């Protein structure tokens, strides 16, 4: 049987590592003139999410789905807490260390939905995508 959640956790973990790695570069998507503003601590959050997903993909199918759901929950917390603490400039500072803009919060909201859908592809309990 094909391990769908493990493969999706691997792909999403790689995506988070690419996003985290790109956050250190002053180009295109991030930084001045880019879609998302580059703040110092967010690349580490993306890299941590990528490592969690890559580690979960090395374990069983259920653990991969759990990793996808866990990272989706953490992204939902980032977006939710960000929207709750947004100020008049359109930015939010979480816990005094993480700074988010409104496009960042939308990005994390989209990632939440994507990760939750990927976690639903768990073939250990039910088959969502038929072979």
């Amino acid at each position: 049987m094909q391990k769908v959640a493990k493969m999706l956790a691997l792909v999403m973990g790689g995506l988070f590592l690419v996003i985290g790695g790109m956050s250190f570069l002053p180009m295109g998507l991030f930084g001045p003139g880019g879609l998302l503003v580059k703040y110092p601590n967010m690349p580490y959050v993306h890299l941590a999410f990528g490592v969690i997903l890559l580690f979960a993909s090395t374990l069983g199918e259920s653990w991969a789905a759990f990793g996808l759901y866990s990272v989706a929950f953490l992204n939902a917390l980032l977006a939710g807490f960000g929207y709750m603490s947004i100020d008049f400039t359109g930015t939010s500072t979480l816990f005094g260390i993480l700074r988010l803009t409104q496009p960042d919060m939308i990005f994390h909201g989209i990632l939440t939905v994507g990760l939750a859908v990927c976690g639903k592809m768990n073939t250990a309990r039910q088959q969502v995508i038929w072979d």
Side-chain angles (χ1 to χ4, degrees):
M1 179 186 295
Q2 185 179 5
K3 304 291 186 187
V4 178
K6 286 179 74 168
M7 187 260 311
L8 288 172
L10 182 68
V11 168
M12 293 303 282
L15 176 69
F16 270 108
L17 290 179
V18 167
I19 290 169
M22 281 180 52
S23 298
F24 290 111
L25 303 174
M27 57 182 248
L29 190 61
F30 301 97
L35 178 64
L36 301 173
V37 179
K38 182 174 127 179
Y39 289 114
N41 294 326
M42 282 310 291
Y44 300 112
V45 171
H46 293 139
L47 290 174
F49 288 167
V51 168
I52 289 169
L53 287 172
L54 288 178
F55 178 71
S57 71
T58 62
L59 303 173
E61 184 78 358
S62 296
W63 280 104
F66 177 73
L68 288 163
Y69 283 133
S70 298
V71 174
F73 178 72
L74 293 172
N75 272 302
L77 286 178
L78 275 177
F81 285 147
Y83 273 114
M84 287 191 302
S85 64
I86 199 165
D87 60 8
F88 65 92
T89 62
T91 61
S92 172
T93 304
L94 300 176
F95 314 114
I97 54 172
L98 292 176
R99 193 163 174 143
L100 297 167
T101 61
Q102 200 160 13
D104 289 327
M105 293 175 235
I106 292 169
F107 178 66
H108 284 284
I110 291 169
L111 282 173
T112 298
V113 172
L115 287 164
V117 168
C118 288
K120 190 67 179 160
M121 304 294 177
N122 181 6
T123 57
R125 282 180 237 147
Q126 65 187 32
Q127 185 85 15
V128 177
I129 297 177
W130 297 97
D131 297 341

